[in-house]
Amino acid sequence: MTALGGTRALVTGGTSGLGLAMARALVDAGARVAITSRDAERAGHAAGELGPRALGLALDARDEGAVAAGVGEVWERLGGIDLLVSNAGIGMRTVNPRFLSEPQPFWEVPPDGFRDVLETKLTGCFLMARAVVPLMLERGGGRIVTISMNEATMVRRGFVPYGPSGAAVEALTRVMAADLAESPVTVNLLLPGGATDTGMVPEDTPAEARERLLDPAVMGPPIVWLASPAAAGVHDQRIVATEFEQWLAAR
């Protein structure tokens, strides 16, 4: 992997699943990485496992004040933020623990559950970028990577509100990219390319289905590349991790 010595990254929702896999890849490549969770103890424990180049802090991406305070703390402790990875999110299990085997129609989804998923993923992406981008512009550059999902997932039966949250995040990210065109801050989308073996998968998922799940580590090579000098100027791209090598070869 490309050496990232001197790179400072902030990964939201970085204590498990895709977030932890990306944080580990960045740390292994030499970056200093801040990871966040709503739970300070969980964030600290995960950062400890990643080693001395990682730090963990509590941050609720849904809360404007918490975001401002968290971004300020990371900026001060790392001396800046070169890469923001907006990964924080909660899945379908929060509104329907058996969403794969027993899809729930949208009219049965509790409004509070709907709001929590949308606010964590969509509002969280907005608030994090809103706090970080002005600092990056003032500093002279930076990179934003938003974590998305397959388009089929966005419109899958029984996937309210998780699917619509992904569609909204993609739209937000494309608008952010348009707003930042011709600026020194780049914005790109990254998604695994399939269901991944994370805590978002229901406990009753059959063994044969689990065997087909992607390892979250699939996100490592593309996120490290996006943080590297090789990705300078790469902007408004939608990168699928399972197709990353072919995508890169075609550039």
Side-chain angles (χ1 to χ4, degrees):
M1 289 199 175
T2 308
L4 295 180
T7 298
R8 301 152 300 186
L10 170 56
V11 181
T12 64
T15 61
S16 63
L18 301 183
L20 182 59
M22 290 185 288
R24 179 174 288 112
L26 291 165
V27 167
D28 288 347
R32 297 171 65 198
V33 181
I35 59 174
T36 73
S37 168
R38 295 181 191 177
D39 186 297
E41 184 176 352
R42 183 176 182 181
H45 178 74
E49 290 188 342
L50 290 174
R53 285 198 297 272
L55 67 92
L57 71 155
L59 189 156
D60 186 346
R62 304 167 301 177
D63 183 86
E64 182 180 351
V67 167
V71 167
E73 180 179 351
V74 173
W75 193 274
E76 181 178 354
R77 293 178 66 178
L78 296 187
I81 299 172
D82 304 298
L83 170 69
L84 168 64
V85 182
S86 283
N87 168 75
I90 53 178
M92 282 299 303
R93 288 182 64 177
T94 61
V95 296
N96 179 13
R98 300 175 63 84
F99 66 91
L100 288 181
S101 57
E102 300 176 14
Q104 185 179 49
F106 71 88
W107 59 87
E108 294 182 5
V109 174
D112 285 347
F114 183 95
R115 292 188 187 98
D116 196 21
V117 172
L118 263 291
E119 289 179 8
T120 302
K121 187 66 175 173
L122 178 61
T123 303
C125 284
F126 165 69
L127 291 177
M128 291 301 303
R130 182 178 181 271
V132 170
V133 166
L135 298 173
M136 288 180 168
L137 289 171
E138 184 178 352
R139 181 64 67 90
R143 302 179 189 187
I144 310 292
V145 177
T146 301
I147 305 308
S148 187
M149 63 186 69
N150 285 346
E151 292 175 353
T153 303
M154 297 177 187
V155 296
R156 183 171 176 172
R157 175 181 175 232
F159 267 55
V160 168
Y162 184 67
S165 76
V169 162
E170 288 224 4
L172 171 64
T173 304
R174 296 302 301 274
V175 173
M176 286 164 47
D179 287 346
L180 288 165
E182 310 303 326
S183 85
V185 176
T186 62
V187 182
N188 293 287
L189 284 157
L190 175 62
L191 57 148
T196 52
D197 190 6
T198 70
M200 291 189 179
V201 177
E203 295 179 357
D204 64 345
T205 300
E208 59 271 22
R210 282 193 175 275
E211 292 175 357
R212 296 194 296 270
L213 296 175
L214 297 172
D215 186 332
V218 70
M219 301 290 276
I223 198 62
V224 169
W225 183 83
L226 282 166
S228 75
V234 175
H235 183 65
D236 198 18
Q237 296 295 303
R238 187 178 193 268
I239 300 172
V240 182
T242 54
E243 303 169 5
F244 173 60
E245 291 186 5
Q246 300 95 309
W247 178 87
L248 195 58
R251 282 184 60 79

